[in-house]
C-alpha cells in the first residue's frame, strides 16, 4: 500500500488496514491537532502552496442577492474556468483524476471537466465541530467495525486510523439535523430522453426529534421517509427506514406502503445491492447518498490521501432558470454546467469479502477531507472491470451551514445510461431545514397517512 510519507510523518495519516479488530479513539495529544494544524473536522488546515488554499472557516455568509428562501444564489458568479480537462489533455491530468473520471472523458468527446479556482467552502455549525472534537477521544469502532461505541452525533473519527473510519464519517455526517426536500430523479435512455420521478424525502437525526430522550432507540442513527409524488402511476408509494448503527446485529428496519394495494409491508431488500427506488435498475439501495448502509460485506483499505479534481460549489446545477432538459443530455449531464476544483481527498478501497455477495466486487471511494462527503466512487464488477462511475456535485447550503449535494450522478460505462438524483430546478420548496418531527411520524402506522393520494 503506497501512502503519502509526508502525511505519515506528521501523524495526519495512518497506514492501518481494518482487518476485523476493534479500534479505539485517538489520544488527547493527537486530538489536540484539531483546531490547530487540523480543522475541527479533521482536514489539513494549511493549503498546498498552490491551487489549494488554507481553510478559513468555509462559506457561512449568504452572498448578495440571496433572499433567505432556499433558492441558492451562486456565490462565485463571475468566475471562469482556469482550464478544461478533455480528451486532448486528460492524460496530463490523470494523476489527479479517478480511473472512472478518465474513462468518462475518453468515452464521450463532450464529457469535459471545467476546472475553477478552489474554494474550501465546506463549513459546519459550531456545535457540530465541538462534538466532532469531543468524538476524537471517545468514539470507537466495535464489533468488527459494524457499529460505533460512545457515539451520539457529528463526525465520529476526525482523525481516522483506517478506511472504515473514513466511511463511517461519510455515513454519519451532519446534514442539517432534520430536513425535508422535494427532488427529482431521472434515468435517461441512451439517446437522452427521460421522464422524472419526483420524491419528497424526510431525514431526521434521532437526537433532533422533538420528543427525543437519551437512550431512545439506542441502535438508530436517523429516520428516513421517502414518498413518490410523481408520476401518477407511482405516486403515493412510500418508503420508511430506521437506519440502525449496527446493521449486522439488527438489520436496517424498512417498510414500504403500496398505494395501489393500500398496505404496509416489511422491505428487507432495501439494503446492499437491492434495487434502488424507481431507478430502472440503474442503482442499488446502497448507491443512494453515494454510499449508505452496513459495511460488513467489504474489506476496507485506507489507500492514502491525494489531490484530486472533484465536483465542488456546484451552484450552476441548482439554477432556477434551468429546465431539466438543459441539464440532462445523452450519455451524461451537461458538463458545461459543472464545476470542478482541486481538493484533498481520502482514497478508500472496498473489496468484497470471500463468500459475500454484491454486484460490485470493488469500490474505490474518494472522500472530500473538508466535508467527509464522498465526491467520486468507481465501481468494479466481478471480473474486475470498471463498471459504474459516481460523482456527487456538492454545494454549501450557506444559510444552514450544511455541506451536501446539489445532485448525485451514477454513470454506467457498459450500457451508456446513467442516473441523476436530487434535481431541484423545477421543484417548489426544494429544501426545508429545521422541520419539527416526533418519533410517531416515523412508525409503520404513519406510512398510510403519508401515502394517501
Amino acid at each position: 500500500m503506497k501512502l503519502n510519507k509526508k502525511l505519515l510523518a506528521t501523524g495526519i495519516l495512518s497506514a492501518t488496514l481494518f482487518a476485523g479488530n476493534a479500534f479505539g479513539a485517538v489520544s488527547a495529544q493527537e486530538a489536540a491537532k484539531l483546531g490547530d494544524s487540523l480543522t475541527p473536522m479533521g482536514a489539513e488546515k494549511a493549503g498546498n502552496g498552490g491551487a489549494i488554499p488554507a481553510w478559513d472557516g468555509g462559506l457561512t455568509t449568504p452572498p448578495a442577492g440571496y433572499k433567505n428562501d432556499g433558492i441558492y444564489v451562486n456565490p462565485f458568479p463571475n468566475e471562469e474556468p482556469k482550464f478544461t480537462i478533455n480528451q486532448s489533455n486528460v492524460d496530463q491530468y490523470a494523476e489527479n483524476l479517478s480511473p472512472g473520471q478518465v474513462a468518462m472523458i475518453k468515452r464521450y468527446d463532450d464529457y469535459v471537466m471545467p476546472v475553477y479556482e478552489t474554494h474550501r467552502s465546506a463549513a459546519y455549525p459550531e456545535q457540530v465541530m465541538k462534538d466532532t472534537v469531543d468524538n476524537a477521544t471517545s468514539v470507537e469502532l466495535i464489533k468488527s467495525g459494524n457499529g460505533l461505541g460512545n457515539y451520539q452525533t457529528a463526525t465520529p473519527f476526525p482523525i481516522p486510523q483506517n478506511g472504515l473510519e473514513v466511511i463511517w464519517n461519510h455515513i454519519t455526517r451532519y446534514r442539517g439535523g432534520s430536513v425535508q426536500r422535494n427532488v427529482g430523479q431521472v434515468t435517461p435512455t441512451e439517446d437522452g430522453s427521460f421522464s422524472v420521478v419526483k420524491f419528497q424525502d424526510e431525514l431526521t437525526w434521532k437526537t433532533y426529534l422533538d420528543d427525543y430522550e437519551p437512550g431512545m432507540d439506542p441502535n438508530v442513527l436517523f429516520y428516513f421517509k421517502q414518498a413518490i409524488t410523481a408520476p401518477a402511476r407511482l405516486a403515493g408509494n412510500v418508503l420508511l427506514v430506521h437506519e440502525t448503527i449496527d446493521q449486522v446485529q439488527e438489520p436496517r428496519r424498512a417498510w414500504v406502503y403500496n398505494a395501489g394495494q393500500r398496505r404496509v409491508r416489511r422491505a428487507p431488500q432495501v439494503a446492499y445491492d437491492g434495487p434502488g427506488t424507481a431507478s430502472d435498475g440503474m442503482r442499488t439501495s446502497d448507491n443512494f447518498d453515494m454510499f449508505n448502509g452496513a459495511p460488513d460485506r467489504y474489506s476496507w483499505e485506507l489507500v492514502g490521501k491525494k489531490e484530486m479534481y472533484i465536483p465542488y460549489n456546484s451552484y450552476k446545477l441548482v439554477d432556477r432558470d434551468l429546465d431539466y432538459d438543459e441539464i440532462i443530455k445523452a450519455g451524461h449531464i451537461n458538463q458545461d454546467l459543472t464545476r470542478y476544483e482541486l481538493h484533498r481527498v481520502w482514497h478508500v478501497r472496498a473489496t468484497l469479502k470471500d463468500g459475500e455477495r454484491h454486484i460490485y466486487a470493488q469500490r474505490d471511494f474518494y472522500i472530500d477531507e473538508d466535508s467527509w462527503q464522498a465526491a467520486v466512487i468507481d465501481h468494479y464488477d466481478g471480473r474486475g472491470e470498471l463498471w459504474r462511475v459516481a460523482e456527487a456535485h456538492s454545494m454549501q447550503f450557506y444559510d444552514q451551514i450544511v455541506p451536501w449535494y446539489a445532485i448525485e450522478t451514477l454513470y454506467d460505462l457498459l450500457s451508456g445510461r446513467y442516473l441523476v438524483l436530487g434535481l431541484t430546478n423545477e421543484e417548489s420548496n426544494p429544501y426545508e431545514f429545521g422541520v419539527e418531527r416526533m418519533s410517531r411520524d416515523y412508525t409503520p402506522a404513519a406510512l398510510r397517512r403519508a401515502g394517501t393520494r
Side-chain angles (χ1 to χ4, degrees):
M1 179 178 58
K2 185 177 180 181
L3 296 171
N4 187 312
K5 293 181 179 179
K6 180 180 178 182
L7 295 177
L8 283 169
T10 59
I12 294 173
L13 183 64
S14 170
T16 308
L17 296 182
F18 188 82
N21 300 316
F23 284 86
V26 301
S27 67
Q29 181 180 6
E30 186 79 359
K33 296 174 182 176
L34 297 168
D36 184 16
S37 59
L38 304 179
T39 73
M41 302 302 293
E44 295 174 65
K45 186 179 288 187
N48 68 348
I52 300 176
W55 185 75
D56 62 1
L59 180 60
T60 59
T61 302
Y66 179 63
K67 300 178 181 178
N68 199 33
D69 56 0
I71 307 302
Y72 289 93
V73 175
N74 187 350
F76 315 113
N78 300 318
E79 293 188 356
E80 297 292 335
K82 298 168 64 177
F83 59 91
T84 298
I85 304 174
N86 54 36
Q87 288 184 348
S88 70
N89 62 6
V90 63
D91 292 338
Q92 176 184 343
Y93 296 103
E95 183 178 346
N96 300 110
L97 301 170
S98 81
Q101 290 176 308
V102 172
M104 286 296 295
I105 293 172
K106 290 188 173 182
R107 174 167 180 150
Y108 300 101
D109 58 11
D110 59 347
Y111 191 92
V112 299
M113 294 174 54
V115 177
Y116 289 75
E117 178 183 351
T118 297
H119 295 279
R120 295 179 67 179
S121 52
Y124 285 100
E126 289 293 332
Q127 187 61 50
V128 172
M129 292 192 291
K130 180 183 181 301
D131 291 340
T132 295
V133 172
D134 291 343
N135 286 342
T137 54
S138 61
V139 179
E140 298 177 340
L141 284 176
I142 60 174
K143 297 182 180 177
S144 297
N146 297 319
L148 303 177
N150 306 317
Y151 176 77
Q152 286 293 321
T153 188
T155 297
F157 305 110
I159 306 178
Q161 304 299 296
N162 55 74
L164 191 48
E165 291 184 352
V166 174
I167 295 303
W168 272 110
N169 287 348
H170 164 79
I171 291 172
T172 61
R173 72 195 190 282
Y174 177 75
R175 278 156 279 177
S178 183
V179 60
Q180 177 178 288
R181 65 177 189 169
N182 294 294
V183 298
Q185 173 181 280
V186 300
T187 53
T189 58
E190 285 186 79
D191 65 4
S193 59
F194 66 92
S195 58
V196 184
V197 178
K198 299 189 176 186
F199 298 108
Q200 183 176 85
D201 291 349
E202 291 182 18
L203 173 69
T204 300
W205 209 260
K206 177 179 65 177
T207 53
Y208 283 79
L209 291 170
D210 287 356
D211 58 342
Y212 171 74
E213 295 182 1
M216 175 190 290
D217 233 351
N219 194 34
V220 168
L221 278 173
F222 57 76
Y223 302 93
F224 176 76
K225 188 187 294 181
Q226 183 181 70
I228 300 178
T229 59
R233 63 183 174 84
L234 298 175
N237 293 338
V238 188
L239 168 68
L240 171 65
V241 172
H242 294 183
E243 186 73 352
T244 52
I245 298 174
D246 186 341
Q247 295 186 18
V248 176
Q249 172 190 324
E250 180 186 15
R252 168 185 285 164
R253 310 172 199 159
W255 300 263
V256 292
Y257 172 74
N258 185 291
Q261 299 175 352
R262 294 186 178 275
R263 59 185 292 237
V264 175
R265 59 182 175 82
R266 290 298 296 261
Q269 78 279 9
V270 182
Y272 301 111
D273 56 359
T277 304
S279 66
D280 200 20
M282 290 304 299
R283 71 170 172 86
T284 61
S285 288
D286 63 8
N287 277 140
F288 184 81
D289 194 44
M290 296 292 280
F291 178 78
N292 72 87
D296 62 301
R297 293 189 180 180
Y298 291 92
S299 298
W300 300 87
E301 175 189 357
L302 184 59
V303 179
K305 208 173 189 184
K306 64 180 291 184
E307 295 177 0
M308 185 170 171
Y309 294 109
I310 59 175
Y312 227 88
N313 291 310
S314 305
Y315 294 95
K316 286 185 180 181
L317 288 170
V318 298
D319 190 331
R320 303 292 286 187
D321 292 333
L322 290 175
D323 296 327
Y324 291 154
D325 59 9
E326 296 177 84
I327 299 174
I328 307 304
K329 302 298 179 184
H332 54 79
I333 65 171
N334 184 349
Q335 286 292 111
D336 291 335
L337 300 174
T338 63
R339 177 185 177 118
Y340 291 80
E341 300 177 1
L342 188 67
H343 288 263
R344 287 183 289 247
V345 298
W346 296 92
H347 179 189
V348 176
R349 176 167 296 145
T351 304
L352 192 65
K353 295 176 180 177
D354 290 341
E356 295 287 1
R357 185 190 63 82
H358 200 291
I359 63 171
Y360 303 133
Q362 178 182 311
R363 299 159 111 152
D364 279 74
F365 293 73
Y366 302 91
I367 311 286
D368 172 40
E369 70 164 347
D370 285 320
S371 66
W372 293 111
Q373 298 189 126
V376 178
I377 306 176
D378 290 344
H379 303 73
Y380 295 80
D381 63 20
R383 301 167 300 173
E385 299 293 326
L386 184 61
W387 179 10
R388 289 176 173 172
V389 182
E391 285 191 315
H393 296 262
S394 68
M395 57 181 275
Q396 178 73 12
F397 291 73
Y398 38 68
D399 59 337
Q400 303 295 326
I401 319 184
V402 175
W404 209 353
Y405 301 142
I407 62 171
E408 303 171 47
T409 58
L410 183 61
Y411 298 107
D412 191 313
L413 291 165
L414 301 182
S415 70
R417 296 187 62 196
Y418 67 104
L419 176 143
V420 179
L421 175 64
L423 294 161
T424 59
N425 312 72
E426 299 180 14
E427 309 307 312
S428 59
N429 192 26
Y431 281 83
E432 181 182 354
F433 291 87
V435 295
E436 297 182 357
R437 292 292 181 265
M438 304 281 283
S439 56
R440 65 171 178 264
D441 295 320
Y442 296 110
T443 62
L447 274 186
R448 188 163 184 167
R449 295 194 302 272
T452 302
R453 58 175 177 175

